[in-house]
Amino acid sequence: MTFLFFFSALGAFNGFLLSLYFAINAKKKDFTNYFLSLLLLVLSVRIAKSVFFFFNPDLANIFIQIGLSACILIGPFLFLYLKSYTAGGKQNWIKHVVPYLGAITILGYFYPYDEHIVLWSSWILKAIYFQWFIYIVLSLTYLRPIIQKLKEKESLKRMDFWFLSIYLGVAATWLAYTTAAYTSYIVGALSFTFVLYLTVLLLIFRNSTETAISIEKEKYKNKEIDKETLDSIDQKLSIIIEKELFLNPNFSLEEASKELKLTKHILSQYVNEVLGKSFSNLIKEYRVEKAKKLLETEKNYTIESLGYDSGFNSKSTFFTAFKKVTGLTPAEYQKLQSK
């Protein structure tokens, strides 16, 4: 039993370290990393409370209250993390964080845990776990493209595995805590396994050529691209649009570099540093522009078929990308154009 909770303590400690890692490596104005950092932080606080309480049943009630209160932010930070990466743009995080933080603070002040243990155990904690569950369900919306890939038996990217790991880990932790009467000791082992798994994934993906786990723009060690090369790349990129190379659902950075007669490194650096986006997002924008033209001119096509004709390989990726770029669904955009 002691051995099991030793690993639980190690999981909580590693969780704090991972939280610090993502906070430090977060780019300015990029909330994605901060949401992940805060998610790991509140998870670690909750797990740490369980560990200390196990070793010391006489633990001060204020620490128990803090540990339980942290749960109210786990769901919102999971939701905001997945949404910020999938939907992009500025996230209205205030309405998902401040009301809950204010409510649990006020509640804890007027009804402190040490004076109202029964109230916390029977009602407040159940309400917190229910709110956590609601956000788990809401977060599932931003995993639809990945779920669609699984249904269509498409290969998953490393980032897909990362998001699934985060989501399933948080969901499994919720399940373990809500059934703690039967799985109290499993929570400790689960927390350690979850954090250890994320650590291993981070180490594996660290040198990946795909998008970094920390959701930062790729860093380049070479010197800045000279102006002549910049102008040349700018002109060459138009070839992708003119030839509509992006209509190929499998069009990749490697294929683009061959077509434009550029190295993958230079092309990737240009797109990331000059255009301020990833290559995959650039291609998605090209496809969305194509879809917009089709929506404006074609009346006999279904919206789903227009997505495929624009280069998207599934309905879900088309709808997600279109909404991210335009702020509207394809149907809403078509309706707006018909007025």
Side-chain angles (χ1 to χ4, degrees):
M1 188 182 300
T2 302
F3 180 76
L4 189 61
F5 269 80
F6 166 77
F7 283 103
S8 176
L10 191 58
F13 177 72
N14 286 340
F16 282 118
L17 291 182
L18 275 181
S19 173
L20 183 63
Y21 170 82
F22 286 113
I24 292 175
N25 284 277
K27 283 285 188 180
K28 187 177 181 181
K29 296 183 180 180
D30 182 6
F31 280 95
T32 306
N33 272 355
Y34 292 123
F35 292 143
L36 178 57
S37 174
L38 291 169
L39 170 61
L40 291 171
L41 176 63
V42 291
L43 269 172
S44 298
V45 169
R46 178 63 179 91
I47 294 167
K49 171 264 168 189
S50 298
V51 176
F52 286 121
F53 183 70
F54 173 79
F55 282 115
N56 180 19
D58 297 322
L59 181 69
N61 286 326
I62 185 61
F63 292 111
I64 297 177
Q65 182 174 320
I66 292 173
L68 296 177
S69 299
C71 289
I72 205 168
L73 295 178
I74 295 176
F77 283 136
L78 171 67
F79 174 81
L80 288 168
Y81 172 59
L82 294 176
K83 182 181 180 182
S84 64
Y85 182 81
T86 305
K90 293 183 178 179
Q91 302 303 317
N92 189 4
W93 60 270
I94 294 178
K95 70 177 183 180
H96 293 285
V97 175
V98 175
Y100 297 123
L101 188 59
I104 200 65
T105 301
I106 294 172
L107 198 61
Y109 179 80
F110 289 103
Y111 299 95
Y113 179 84
D114 60 347
E115 297 176 12
H116 303 274
I117 295 178
V118 175
L119 177 63
W120 275 79
S121 301
S122 59
W123 294 105
I124 297 178
L125 195 55
K126 287 182 180 179
I128 290 175
Y129 284 157
F130 179 72
Q131 178 254 20
W132 184 353
F133 173 74
I134 293 299
Y135 271 99
I136 287 176
V137 174
L138 292 175
S139 299
L140 196 59
T141 301
Y142 300 103
L143 291 180
R144 284 180 180 173
I146 300 176
I147 295 173
Q148 188 65 32
K149 286 183 181 180
L150 292 173
K151 288 182 179 179
E152 297 176 359
K153 297 182 179 180
E154 295 181 21
S155 59
L156 298 181
K157 295 181 179 180
R158 290 191 174 105
M159 287 303 297
D160 295 333
F161 281 113
W162 174 260
F163 291 129
L164 277 177
S165 299
I166 294 290
Y167 181 84
L168 293 177
V170 172
T173 303
W174 170 86
L175 182 63
Y177 274 120
T178 52
T179 57
Y182 311 100
T183 62
S184 58
Y185 300 118
I186 295 176
V187 174
L190 176 66
S191 64
F192 170 74
T193 303
F194 174 42
V195 176
L196 177 63
Y197 178 63
L198 293 184
T199 306
V200 172
L201 279 184
L202 180 62
L203 292 174
I204 293 174
F205 296 166
R206 190 169 183 177
N207 296 319
S208 170
T209 55
E210 295 182 29
T211 307
I213 291 298
S214 55
I215 319 300
E216 294 180 291
K217 296 177 185 177
E218 185 179 352
K219 294 180 180 179
Y220 298 94
K221 295 182 179 179
N222 61 310
K223 297 179 180 179
E224 293 184 359
I225 306 174
D226 59 82
K227 188 177 184 306
E228 184 178 346
T229 304
L230 286 174
D231 294 337
S232 175
I233 297 175
D234 189 48
Q235 293 176 3
K236 288 184 176 182
L237 272 180
S238 61
I239 295 175
I240 296 178
I241 300 176
E242 292 170 1
K243 293 186 176 182
E244 295 191 326
L245 302 176
F246 55 85
L247 294 183
N248 174 9
N250 300 314
F251 188 62
S252 63
L253 176 65
E254 184 174 1
E255 292 175 345
S257 62
K258 289 180 181 178
E259 181 71 30
L260 304 182
K261 295 180 175 56
L262 296 167
T263 66
K264 287 169 56 178
H265 181 82
I266 288 293
L267 180 56
S268 178
Q269 180 180 1
Y270 177 87
V271 174
N272 276 266
E273 293 187 346
V274 178
L275 301 184
K277 61 193 69 176
S278 67
F279 179 78
S280 61
N281 283 337
L282 176 66
I283 297 304
K284 285 179 183 178
E285 289 179 6
Y286 288 159
R287 289 169 179 162
V288 168
E289 287 303 315
K290 176 68 175 181
K292 286 166 62 178
K293 292 179 181 178
L294 293 176
L295 286 168
E296 294 167 6
T297 57
E298 300 293 340
K299 304 300 180 183
N300 299 323
Y301 279 47
T302 64
I303 290 179
E304 184 175 352
S305 65
L306 288 176
Y308 288 116
D309 288 346
S310 301
F312 291 97
N313 56 10
S314 72
K315 178 182 177 180
S316 60
T317 54
F318 169 48
F319 275 54
T320 300
F322 197 94
K323 182 67 178 291
K324 179 180 178 180
V325 173
T326 66
L328 302 169
T329 65
E332 290 171 341
Y333 182 85
Q334 189 177 51
K335 185 177 180 180
L336 189 64
Q337 296 302 312
S338 62
K339 291 182 179 179

